[in-house]
């Protein structure tokens, strides 16, 4: 009964979305306040209905209702409760339900926190959100229904892909989808602005917090996926330029450009049409990512769908959403005139350079990801685009961007002094030189590009701190006055500083990966491997039962200079239901480097393959990502980022003047 209730709620949500996508739009055109108010009610009702459908599917998984086909295919009675719940979105149908749930959550958030929006703009924004909801609800109900039943009930389920049974990947999709789908709000604001024919500073202030929140969630989602790949798959890597990884990276790049361009719209009343285009492209890339994962054109642990009809349906949605919005842009964008002028050397100019390099970088990733698929679809030869292409095309474009990130915030608006800004960065030059010399000495001369990357990280980190010191006039005025200025700095300034510092930290982690060391050997119990000053000894391997698997658990003693460091326990887990084996690595970290051990296969003699990696600074990759996301959240807490109006002034009681003679 609960399953039917969820299915019925999803059908009702479709009809509510149809009303939401039409009635408010007509009301905005006719200036009918009652019809425009329908948008808010529909958004809240749609969220409630889809939440009910989501809870119904979760109930079916938790109770192991094996009359539901989706539960049969993706769950099992022996599966731990956490993975029963997260198994809801560990498959195609459930993940698409999560997609529309996040979309309805975003629409409900706009409806709830949009009191400062003009009624017509709010109606149009929510109406566009409703149109997106109609498309994906139709897709779910007609091609990917998670509530289909079968009778009689199956005795047990087929279980979930063992690789997905991990806490990191359990929480990775919700964060990723909050980022993906969150950009739909910026898209809806852009379409609404094109319909109205008006973009101003207030519009930029309304768009920016939604974009920033989506960017923060997407940053965390990508970082969690990278961390999961690092510690679960057992190959020692954290990024493979996999098409599905690129699918999430592309909207992150353009979303970063969108955050910065919206600042120019607000401050200088220019780059209007460009910012509108970025809003459209960012969400369009999110839709392209959905197509890549759900259409069956890719073979990946992330890719669920194999039904061609689903791919055609999503392709049709892409044509309607992207083609329709770009057509509207082509018709209406020329009427949006920019007001402010600025010199090439200025804060605005640095942000334009930022946008240009990020957009070109995204275009490079897009080409490398989709060109092999396009060539294969046209009957051409099968190509594989991997590390060499991306490292030689994408990385060089990011170098000038990182240099500009250090200089740009020191430039003035409208017209800046580049020479003056460079002179104030003397501390960055010193830090860069010291780090490069130290890296050359420690690594005995390279690789040169990795050493250069560490120097670039030091440059950016010190330049960001220099900009903060300039804001509070550190060492130029009394310390008490500098402290007072620091206390009264807006939170958005601290958020920018933290985000840029996080980027510098991650760049150091990326660069240091060139200094990795590895050893892969076949050893007997009692045998040892030496690496980076560590002695790694395989003592014994025990077979242990798990909740829904059988594990070969290795006990490995790690020593350095004869001193015991710790015992490590990598595993190989065999899942009988799926007949699959996974690797569970063991990692020792001191935040400066990781010692990474993975257990491989055993031969008939009882020897085991053991992989040992030493990875300097690799934890900084994810530390930097967390700092970046935290910086975005700090900026989001600034009232000027959260609302489109100034804070309400405190009411002043009128003074009563004495009457003459009293």
């Amino acid at each position: 009964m609960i399953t039917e209730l969820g299915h019925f709620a999803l059908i009702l949500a479709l009809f509510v979305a149809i009303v939401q996508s039409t009635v408010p739009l007509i009301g905005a055109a006719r200036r009918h306040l009652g019809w425009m108010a329908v948008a808010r009610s529909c958004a809240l009702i749609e969220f409630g209905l889809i939440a009910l459908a989501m809870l119904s599917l979760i109930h079916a998984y938790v109770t192991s209702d094996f009359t539901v086909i989706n539960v049969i295919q993706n769950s099992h009675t022996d599966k731990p409760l956490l993975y029963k719940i997260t198994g809801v979105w560990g498959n195609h149908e459930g993940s698409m339900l999560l997609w529309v749930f996040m979309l309805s959550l975003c629409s409900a958030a706009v409806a709830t926190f949009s009191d400062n929006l003009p009624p017509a703009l709010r109606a149009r924004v929510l109406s566009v959100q409703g149109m997106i909801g109609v498309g994906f609800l139709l897709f779910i109900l007609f091609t990917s229904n998670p509530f289909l039943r079968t009778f009689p009930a199956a005795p047990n389920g087929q279980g979930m892909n063992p690789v997905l049974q991990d806490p990191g990947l359990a929480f990775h999709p919700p964060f990723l989808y909050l980022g993906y789908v969150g950009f739909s709000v910026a898209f809806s604001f852009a379409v609404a602005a094109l319909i109205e024919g008006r973009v101003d500073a207030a519009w930029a202030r309304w768009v920016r917090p939604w974009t920033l929140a989506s960017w923060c969630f997407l940053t965390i989602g990508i970082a969690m996926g990278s961390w999961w790949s690092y510690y679960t798959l057992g190959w020692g890597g954290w990024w493979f330029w996999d098409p599905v990884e690129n699918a999430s990276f592309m909207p992150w790049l353009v979303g970063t450009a969108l955050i910065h361009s919206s600042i120019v719209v607000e401050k200088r009343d220019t780059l209007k049409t460009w910012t509108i285009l970025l809003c459209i492209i960012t969400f369009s890339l999110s839709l392209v990512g959905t197509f890549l994962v759900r259409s069956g054109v890719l073979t990946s642990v992330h890719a669920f769908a194999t039904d061609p009809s689903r791919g055609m349906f999503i392709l049709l949605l892409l044509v309607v959403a992207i083609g329709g919005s770009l057509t509207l842009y082509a018709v209406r964008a020329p009427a949006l005139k920019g007001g402010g002028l600025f010199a090439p050397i200025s804060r605005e100019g640095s942000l334009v350079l930022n946008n240009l390099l990020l957009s070109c970088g995204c275009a490079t990733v897009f080409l490398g990801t989709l060109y092999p698929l396009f060539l294969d679809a046209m009957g051409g030869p099968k190509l594989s685009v991997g590390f060499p292409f991306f490292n030689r095309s994408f990385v060089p474009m990011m170098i000038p961007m990182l240099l500009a990130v250090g200089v740009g915030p020191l430039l003035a608006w409208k017209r800046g002094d580049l020479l003056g800004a460079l002179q104030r960065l003397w501390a960055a030059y010193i830090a860069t030189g010291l780090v490069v010399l130290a890296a050359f000495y420690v690594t005995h001369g390279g690789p040169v590009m990795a050493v250069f990357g560490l120097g670039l990280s030091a440059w950016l980190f010190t330049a960001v701190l220099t900009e903060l010191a300039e804001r509070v006039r550190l060492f130029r005025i009394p310390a008490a006055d500098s402290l007072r200025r620091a206390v009264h700095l807006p939170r958005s300034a601290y958020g920018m500083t933290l985000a840029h510092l996080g980027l510098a930290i991650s760049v150091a982690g990326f660069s240091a990966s060139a200094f990795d060391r590895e050893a892969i050997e076949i050893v007997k119990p009692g045998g040892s491997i030496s690496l980076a000053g560590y002695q790694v000894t395989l003592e014994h391997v025990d077979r242990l039962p798990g909740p829904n698997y059988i594990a070969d658990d290795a006990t490995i003693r790690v020593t350095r200079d004869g001193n015991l460091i710790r015992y490590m326990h990598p595993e190989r887990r065999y899942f009988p239901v799926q007949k699959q084996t996974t690797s569970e690595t063991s990692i020792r970290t001191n935040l400066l480097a990781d010692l990474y051990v993975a257990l491989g296969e055993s031969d008939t003699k009882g020897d085991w393959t053991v992989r040992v990696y030493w990875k300097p600074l690799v934890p900084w990759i994810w530390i930097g990502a967390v700092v970046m996301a935290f910086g975005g959240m700090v900026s989001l807490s600034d009232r000027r980022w959260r609302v489109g109006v100034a804070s309400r002034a405190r009411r002043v009681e009128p003074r009563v003047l004495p009457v003459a003679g009293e």
Side-chain angles (χ1 to χ4, degrees):
M1 179 63 187
I2 294 179
T3 299
E4 280 72 26
L5 182 63
H7 191 184
F8 186 61
L10 210 57
I11 296 172
L12 283 180
L14 172 62
F15 286 104
V16 172
I18 292 173
V19 174
Q20 179 183 333
S21 61
T22 53
V23 174
L25 199 62
I26 298 172
R30 296 183 176 182
R31 299 295 175 182
H32 193 294
L33 290 176
W35 287 21
M36 286 190 282
V38 169
R40 174 176 285 182
S41 300
C42 285
L44 296 175
I45 294 171
E46 182 186 354
F47 169 68
L49 291 170
I50 296 178
L52 178 60
M54 193 76 189
L55 290 173
S56 299
L57 189 59
I58 292 174
H59 176 269
Y61 270 80
V62 171
T63 60
S64 296
D65 183 356
F66 293 126
T67 64
V68 180
I69 296 176
N70 187 258
V71 179
I72 296 172
Q73 294 173 343
N74 301 285
S75 190
H76 192 275
T77 52
D78 293 335
K79 194 163 67 170
L81 178 61
L82 172 64
Y83 302 130
K84 285 185 178 181
I85 296 173
T86 60
V88 171
W89 52 80
N91 59 88
H92 171 75
E93 293 82 1
S95 65
M96 291 311 302
L97 182 59
L98 179 67
W99 206 101
V100 295
F101 172 74
M102 293 302 184
L103 180 67
S104 67
L105 176 63
C106 292
S107 298
V110 173
T112 303
F113 302 109
S114 60
D115 290 337
N116 296 311
L117 286 176
L121 179 61
R122 179 175 61 230
R124 290 187 172 106
V125 169
L126 291 174
S127 182
V128 176
Q129 288 288 107
M131 294 178 189
I132 301 170
V134 168
F136 278 92
L137 285 169
L138 286 172
F139 173 71
I140 291 174
L141 290 171
F142 285 100
T143 71
S144 309
N145 191 345
F147 296 108
L148 296 178
R149 284 191 183 270
T150 183
F151 292 99
N156 213 325
Q158 301 171 12
M160 183 182 178
N161 186 342
V163 177
L164 304 180
Q165 295 185 39
D166 181 85
L169 204 67
F171 300 104
H172 159 66
F175 279 97
L176 202 64
Y177 280 14
L178 276 171
Y180 266 165
V181 183
F183 284 124
S184 68
V185 178
F187 173 84
S188 298
F189 268 98
V191 173
L194 289 173
I195 295 173
E196 287 193 355
R198 183 170 64 91
V199 175
D200 53 18
W203 178 89
R205 285 195 297 271
W206 287 319
V207 168
R208 201 163 54 163
W210 299 105
T211 304
L212 183 61
S214 303
W215 181 87
C216 291
F217 286 122
L218 189 57
T219 301
I220 294 295
I222 293 173
M224 290 180 71
S226 172
W227 168 240
W228 167 82
S229 176
Y230 173 69
Y231 75 81
T232 296
L233 299 184
W235 61 295
W238 44 269
W239 193 261
F240 194 63
W241 292 107
D242 180 272
V244 179
E245 292 175 329
N246 295 346
S248 61
F249 188 47
M250 289 186 288
W252 186 89
L253 289 170
V254 183
T256 304
L258 173 59
I259 292 172
H260 292 84
S261 68
S262 63
I263 297 173
V264 181
V265 176
E266 179 184 351
K267 296 286 187 180
R268 301 293 302 144
D269 193 36
T270 190
L271 297 186
K272 294 180 180 180
T273 57
W274 172 248
T275 303
I276 290 285
L277 183 60
L278 286 180
C279 290
I280 294 173
I281 292 177
T282 304
F283 183 60
S284 297
L285 289 172
S286 297
L287 294 178
V288 169
T290 302
F291 170 74
L292 289 176
V293 179
R294 311 297 162 193
S295 63
V297 300
L298 296 178
T299 301
S300 168
V301 69
H302 308 78
F304 302 122
T306 56
D307 185 353
S309 64
R310 293 171 175 172
M312 290 303 298
F313 200 113
I314 296 180
L315 188 60
L316 180 62
L317 286 178
L318 284 177
V319 171
V320 173
I322 300 176
S325 58
L326 290 178
T327 301
L328 180 63
Y329 175 83
V331 173
R332 303 301 297 269
L336 301 176
K337 302 296 184 181
L341 299 176
F342 55 89
I345 305 299
S346 61
R347 179 79 66 85
E348 299 94 326
S350 69
L351 292 174
V352 170
L353 179 63
N354 158 289
N355 274 225
L356 177 64
L357 293 172
L358 285 171
S359 300
C360 290
C362 179
T364 299
V365 177
F366 184 87
L367 178 64
T369 303
L370 291 187
Y371 177 71
L373 301 177
F374 174 78
L375 197 63
D376 183 48
M378 299 300 293
K382 291 185 179 294
L383 295 180
S384 177
V385 176
F387 274 98
F389 170 80
F390 293 106
N391 288 347
R392 294 173 186 174
S393 58
F394 176 80
V395 173
M397 281 188 284
M398 294 300 103
I399 293 174
M401 191 207 72
L402 294 173
L403 292 171
V405 170
V407 179
L410 290 170
L411 297 175
W413 292 101
K414 195 172 182 179
R415 183 179 298 276
D417 180 6
L418 180 59
L419 180 60
L422 293 174
Q423 289 174 341
R424 283 178 282 172
L425 290 172
W426 57 269
Y429 305 137
I430 295 174
T432 303
L434 291 176
V435 168
V436 168
L437 291 175
F440 267 121
Y441 176 76
V442 171
T443 62
H444 306 290
V448 175
M449 290 305 297
V451 172
F452 176 74
L454 291 176
L456 191 60
S457 171
W459 154 270
L460 179 57
F461 193 92
T462 313
V464 172
L465 293 180
T466 299
E467 191 272 339
L468 181 63
E470 288 286 326
R471 282 179 178 268
V472 301
R473 304 187 67 187
L474 190 64
F475 305 127
R476 296 168 60 187
I477 59 176
D481 292 339
S482 290
L483 180 61
R484 191 177 302 109
R485 290 175 67 92
V487 169
H488 290 92
L489 273 182
R491 276 171 285 182
S492 59
Y494 284 112
M496 179 194 73
T497 298
L498 286 170
H500 290 171
L501 288 176
L503 178 60
I505 294 170
S506 290
V507 168
F510 300 150
S511 303
S513 62
F515 307 126
D516 291 356
R517 300 183 193 176
E518 65 178 89
I520 303 175
E521 297 184 16
I522 298 175
V523 296
K524 298 178 181 293
S528 297
I529 300 174
S530 297
L531 182 71
Y534 292 98
Q535 194 77 9
V536 179
T537 303
L538 174 64
E539 294 203 334
H540 53 82
V541 179
D542 300 314
R543 178 149 292 189
L544 303 175
N548 61 337
Y549 59 84
I550 300 170
D552 289 321
D553 179 87
T555 298
I556 291 180
R557 186 177 74 253
V558 180
T559 59
R560 190 182 185 102
D561 298 327
N563 299 316
L564 178 65
I565 302 297
R566 67 171 295 179
Y567 285 96
M568 302 178 72
H569 292 273
E571 293 181 355
R572 283 181 64 80
R573 294 178 177 177
Y574 176 70
F575 292 78
V577 174
Q578 296 85 6
K579 295 181 173 55
Q580 292 185 31
T581 302
T582 65
S583 176
E584 293 293 319
T585 62
S586 182
I587 301 172
R588 177 192 178 269
T589 183
N590 58 9
L591 299 184
L592 293 177
D594 282 359
L595 182 66
Y596 179 110
V597 182
L599 183 67
E601 297 179 351
S602 173
D603 60 17
T604 56
K605 300 177 182 179
D607 299 343
W608 292 86
T609 301
V610 178
R611 297 178 176 86
V612 183
Y613 302 88
W614 180 71
K615 296 181 166 294
L617 300 188
V618 71
W620 290 21
I621 295 173
W622 301 289
I623 292 173
V626 171
V627 173
M628 278 192 281
F630 180 69
M633 293 174 185
V634 170
S635 291
L636 198 59
S637 69
D638 194 322
R639 177 180 172 82
R640 296 177 306 168
W641 278 68
R642 288 185 286 110
V643 297
V645 295
S647 59
R648 182 178 296 176
R650 186 173 58 184
R651 182 178 178 182
V652 179
E653 297 294 334
R655 291 181 57 191
V656 180
L657 299 177
V659 180
E662 292 187 353

